[in-house]
Amino acid sequence: MNLSIVDWLIMLVYFIFVLGIGFALKRYMRTSNDFFLAGRSIPAWVCGLAFISANLGAQEVIGMGASGAKYGINTSHFYWIGAVPAMIFVGIFMMPFYYGSKARSVPEYLRMRFDEKTRAVNAFSFAIMTVMSSGISMYAMALLIQTLGLFHGIIPDNYIFHVSVLLSAVIVLGYIFLGGLTSAIYNEVLQFFLIVAGFAPLVWIGLKNVGGWQGIRHTLPASMTHSWRGMAHANTNTLGVEWFGMAMGLGFVLSFGYWCTDFLVVQRAMAADSEESARRVPLIAAIPKMFFPFLVILPGLIAVSITPHAVSTQPAMVAGASSTAPLVDEHPHGIIPQKTNPLNGSPIVDSKGEPVYNYDLAIPVMLLHYFPTGILGLGLTALLASFMSGMAGNVTAFNTVWTYDIYQAYINKRATDAHYLWMGRMATIGGIVLSIGAAYAATNFNNIMDALQLVFSFVNAPLFATFLLGMFWKRTTGHGAFSGLIAGTLAALLHHGLTIPTDALPGIHGGWIAIVHHYPSDMAQNFWTAIFAFSANLIVTVAVSLVTTPRPESELVGLVYSLTPKPVEHHLSWYQKPTTLAWGVLGLLVILNLVFA
Amino acid sequence: MGLDIRIPLGLLFLINGGIMSIYGLITRHSAIYERSLGVNLNIGWGLLMFVFGLVMFLVGRRQKWQDDPVNPRPWERGGGQH
């Protein structure tokens, strides 16, 4: 890939601003509250944009583009069903407890509501998980830079990966070390606008090329252009999931478990300047979130809609019968390149001898296909920005949980605030070093990373039941919550061990105890694992809570729905109230689903 | 928190939008735009970004950063424990 000086200049300007923000904010970092919670002084719209950007890391942008190319527009279920309803719920119902309880982190809320052991489980699993996700983000970024040959000709090819890892680590470390959470939030806002600025013209020019949405519908099979068609049964849609598994597993358990309990996103709302702002944060975030499928999923669809005659200026990448006929096959590939063996560069074929396509390159290939010098630099900047923000989000969540919920809770209880501020900075360094370790672990032991991520999905799956019961049922006890969490994780483990997706071998994909059920796809298995984990947690928590002594009600004021006064909204006009915003967002959501049904 | 995000955001878009517009102006009839179906994306989109950056920068300069203290919750006002 040949980048010109203009492209480099655009990227350089961005990196100067990233670090510049850190330096500008340094003098405002006086207390640990400033560093970890941005002094609770950020306006709602800034937090709202940071709220979605923190989630919009490498896996998200690359992964959603890839799924768009692979499965079609029904990938948008991950946004419309799998995010927006949960964001409305956390804003309207849960934020008053997170923000109003003055908890400094989600694990700390668990300690206030339940007890020390429930907090400990959450804090430790969360801390390990964030470091790993940040490492995987780093790995994905370095791999992409290497695949695209971004530094090709500037530094020797075999150093590109190491230089990319080190460079991203140093930059992220720099701005968080200096400006803490505020710095991370500000950079996430920059990233948000860069993604829009970089991808909107891509979608526009791409749509122009393939004849608009009508053109895509004409070229691609109907299953890829309708988000709800064939959802009645797993075998009649590209995702391989039936509507119930999707609505319950993705739409309820997984989505609420992530958006309502994951400190990575909740931390952004906790930084807001008032409780009303904090409640508005996820709602504001939900509006752009609804339209993001058009920026990250649509490029994937366009990439596979580009018919061979549209790319006739380039040499045919793939030989085969399909290159002359219109796209009638099940999996059109458009301009998606074939996967190649990294060792000898030869194309990889599957067991039936058919080529395997590297869908992860959908978005990068689109950028290279349509963008001339200049705006290409902008597109790549947007991509890099999203990679780094994904990392930074994890690192800021890690340093807070480490300092408040592990260090202050178990190692050094009575230090000065200045000491905790120092610890936060050290934790930032530590978190980055561990991320680098995780990134290299991912290169060497791909299966170990997959296995670890699987284990963490088991820890996360049941989480939402604990929060739901804790916030809305005052009878829930600490023992109940703790045993429920453990039972939920065990249920997930058991379910995974007993089931397997069709056409997978027993092992990491499941079925390592015995095979009692086959799922049509790994996505269906994943959703049903979550449903089982959630249900087990719910049942065990309720059962144990009923036989243990609840805490006196006076201790639960501000932590449980029925014992907390409703937020006062008299001073707000009807249009300023969070509920009005929530109804508006819901209305838009229904319209979008109907349009693309 | 002292610095309004709209100032760096505005400046970033002013500079990068500016670079793209100027580059687009220089390369008006260049062959590089074959990729983008003959559309000079640099000048059009660059100018749009420039204007967006200008608006953000001016608004950020005009408005004071809101640094209001956290509103106390109803039951905290009377008790005075915090």
Side-chain angles (χ1 to χ4, degrees):
Chain A
M1 182 169 71
N2 294 317
L3 288 182
S4 76
I5 190 102
V6 186
D7 299 315
W8 287 112
L9 194 64
I10 289 173
M11 279 190 248
L12 187 71
V13 169
Y14 167 70
F15 286 111
I16 292 172
F17 271 86
V18 166
L19 288 174
I21 286 178
F23 279 103
L25 289 170
K26 183 169 176 269
R27 64 196 178 96
Y28 298 106
M29 298 295 124
R30 288 162 188 276
T31 63
S32 67
N33 190 40
D34 296 330
F35 190 80
F36 296 120
L37 290 166
R40 297 204 195 237
S41 65
I42 310 284
W45 71 272
V46 175
C47 294
L49 296 182
F51 193 89
I52 39 168
S53 302
N55 166 255
L56 201 71
Q59 291 97 321
E60 186 83 2
V61 174
I62 296 297
M64 286 297 147
S67 305
K70 220 169 169 177
Y71 304 121
I73 194 69
N74 47 16
T75 306
S76 60
H77 286 315
F78 284 92
Y79 286 74
W80 296 340
I81 304 300
V84 175
M87 289 161 92
I88 294 175
F89 187 82
V90 70
I92 295 292
F93 295 106
M94 292 174 76
M95 213 38 89
F97 308 111
Y98 283 140
Y99 197 91
S101 68
K102 297 249 173 1
R104 297 168 300 180
S105 66
V106 167
E108 190 163 75
Y109 172 81
L110 285 179
R111 183 188 54 77
M112 294 164 99
R113 174 64 185 87
F114 298 118
D115 52 15
E116 200 60 62
K117 58 181 181 294
T118 314
R119 184 252 285 265
V121 172
N122 189 244
F124 280 100
S125 61
F126 183 79
I128 301 171
M129 211 150 42
T130 45
V131 162
M132 290 225 337
S133 323
S134 140
I136 292 172
S137 212
M138 209 181 251
Y139 164 73
M141 174 170 171
L143 198 66
L144 186 74
I145 292 177
Q146 195 179 29
T147 314
L148 292 180
L150 203 60
F151 291 122
H152 184 73
I154 300 170
I155 41 179
D157 275 357
N158 49 348
Y159 286 109
I160 290 180
F161 186 88
H162 310 290
V163 171
S164 310
V165 166
L166 208 65
L167 214 59
S168 60
V170 167
I171 292 169
V172 170
L173 173 67
Y175 73 78
I176 296 178
F177 187 88
L178 293 166
L181 180 64
T182 318
S183 204
I185 288 181
Y186 279 13
N187 276 305
E188 279 151 9
V189 173
L190 290 192
Q191 175 223 348
F192 172 83
F193 285 103
L194 278 171
I195 289 263
V196 176
F199 286 14
L202 181 70
V203 171
W204 180 73
I205 205 90
L207 279 178
K208 205 168 132 86
N209 188 197
V210 299
W213 178 242
Q214 291 306 325
I216 294 181
R217 286 177 61 163
H218 189 71
T219 320
L220 296 183
S223 59
M224 287 182 80
T225 56
H226 293 273
S227 61
W228 283 102
R229 184 171 291 185
M231 289 309 283
H233 196 273
N235 293 336
T236 52
N237 68 76
T238 50
L239 296 176
V241 167
E242 78 294 342
W243 69 273
F244 182 79
M246 196 191 70
M248 275 305 285
L250 172 69
F252 183 63
V253 179
L254 287 174
S255 142
F256 281 66
Y258 177 75
W259 293 98
C260 303
T261 72
D262 198 301
F263 184 52
L264 171 71
V265 287
V266 174
Q267 188 179 28
R268 269 76 198 149
M270 283 179 167
D273 56 12
S274 68
E275 192 181 308
E276 291 102 58
S277 291
R279 294 182 66 196
R280 247 181 260 133
V281 165
L283 302 172
I284 292 173
I287 299 171
K289 184 80 186 170
M290 257 187 292
F291 295 98
F292 260 84
F294 303 119
L295 284 182
V296 296
I297 297 175
L298 210 47
L301 271 141
I302 296 172
V304 292
S305 310
I306 299 172
T307 42
H309 65 84
V311 288
S312 57
T313 48
Q314 295 192 348
M317 285 182 193
V318 193
S322 65
S323 60
T324 49
L327 291 168
V328 286
D329 54 340
E330 278 296 289
H331 296 287
H333 44 78
I335 55 169
I336 309 280
Q338 233 178 303
K339 227 176 208 168
T340 51
N341 188 330
L343 293 176
N344 52 22
S346 64
I348 296 176
V349 290
D350 65 8
S351 52
K352 291 172 201 141
E354 285 168 11
V356 178
Y357 294 96
N358 195 348
Y359 287 100
D360 281 349
L361 287 177
I363 286 188
V365 159
M366 281 285 284
L367 288 174
L368 295 177
H369 184 75
Y370 284 120
F371 275 181
T373 305
I375 197 162
L376 180 61
L378 181 74
L380 291 172
T381 307
L383 211 54
L384 292 183
S386 94
F387 279 74
M388 293 207 313
S389 292
M391 263 163 68
N394 279 300
V395 173
T396 47
F398 170 80
N399 66 21
T400 309
V401 166
W402 165 262
T403 307
Y404 283 153
D405 292 299
I406 296 175
Y407 184 74
Q408 189 176 19
Y410 306 111
I411 299 170
N412 187 348
K413 285 189 178 146
R414 287 174 216 286
T416 57
D417 187 68
H419 178 77
Y420 292 127
L421 175 60
W422 172 83
M423 193 63 216
R425 292 210 154 109
M426 292 306 119
T428 309
I429 299 178
I432 298 258
V433 170
L434 288 172
S435 305
I436 296 178
Y440 277 99
T443 53
N444 295 329
F445 312 101
N446 225 331
N447 289 331
I448 291 183
M449 292 307 265
D450 286 348
L452 274 175
Q453 274 194 305
L454 201 63
V455 171
F456 285 126
S457 75
F458 299 156
V459 177
N460 272 350
L463 256 187
F464 184 61
T466 306
F467 284 83
L468 197 66
L469 287 170
M471 282 182 180
F472 298 97
W473 192 43
K474 61 185 181 191
R475 188 70 181 70
T476 320
T477 64
H479 293 306
F482 181 75
S483 37
L485 272 181
I486 304 292
T489 302
L490 289 179
L493 209 63
L494 201 65
H495 179 264
H496 186 261
L498 290 174
T499 61
I500 193 165
T502 41
D503 69 20
L505 294 172
I508 189 131
H509 298 292
W512 38 269
I513 303 173
I515 298 172
V516 297
H517 184 73
H518 281 277
Y519 281 108
S521 66
D522 52 354
M523 213 179 278
Q525 184 197 28
N526 191 7
F527 293 168
W528 278 100
T529 302
I531 295 174
F532 273 94
F534 176 87
S535 313
N537 184 355
L538 199 76
I539 294 165
V540 171
T541 307
V542 170
V544 176
S545 291
L546 286 174
V547 297
T548 44
T549 348
R551 286 171 62 186
E553 293 191 359
S554 57
E555 289 179 13
L556 297 176
V557 174
L559 300 170
V560 179
Y561 188 75
S562 60
L563 301 173
T564 306
K566 302 287 164 292
V568 191
E569 291 181 347
H570 302 306
H571 60 289
L572 300 172
S573 321
W574 65 271
Y575 61 87
Q576 289 175 310
K577 289 183 182 170
T579 33
T580 317
L581 190 55
W583 283 111
V585 171
L586 265 180
L588 269 175
L589 184 67
V590 171
I591 295 172
L592 274 177
N593 270 297
L594 289 178
V595 169
F596 290 94
Chain B
M1 179 98 354
L3 172 76
D4 192 314
I5 175 63
R6 282 168 289 199
I7 294 174
L9 176 65
L11 281 174
L12 175 67
F13 274 72
L14 271 177
I15 297 175
N16 272 350
I19 294 175
M20 281 165 58
S21 314
I22 294 170
Y23 185 73
L25 199 68
I26 299 169
T27 56
R28 245 168 316 171
H29 303 292
S30 158
I32 59 170
Y33 296 110
E34 270 171 24
R35 270 196 202 173
S36 51
L37 317 175
V39 181
N40 188 336
L41 277 178
N42 281 331
I43 198 159
W45 197 247
L47 280 176
L48 213 67
M49 284 171 62
F50 188 84
V51 172
F52 172 79
L54 194 68
V55 171
M56 278 290 156
F57 181 69
L58 293 178
V59 172
R61 285 283 298 269
R62 200 166 50 87
Q63 293 193 346
K64 278 273 162 275
W65 190 259
Q66 296 178 351
D67 209 351
D68 301 333
V70 175
N71 295 336
R73 307 252 299 175
W75 63 91
E76 291 161 352
R77 283 185 195 132
Q81 293 166 344
H82 295 282

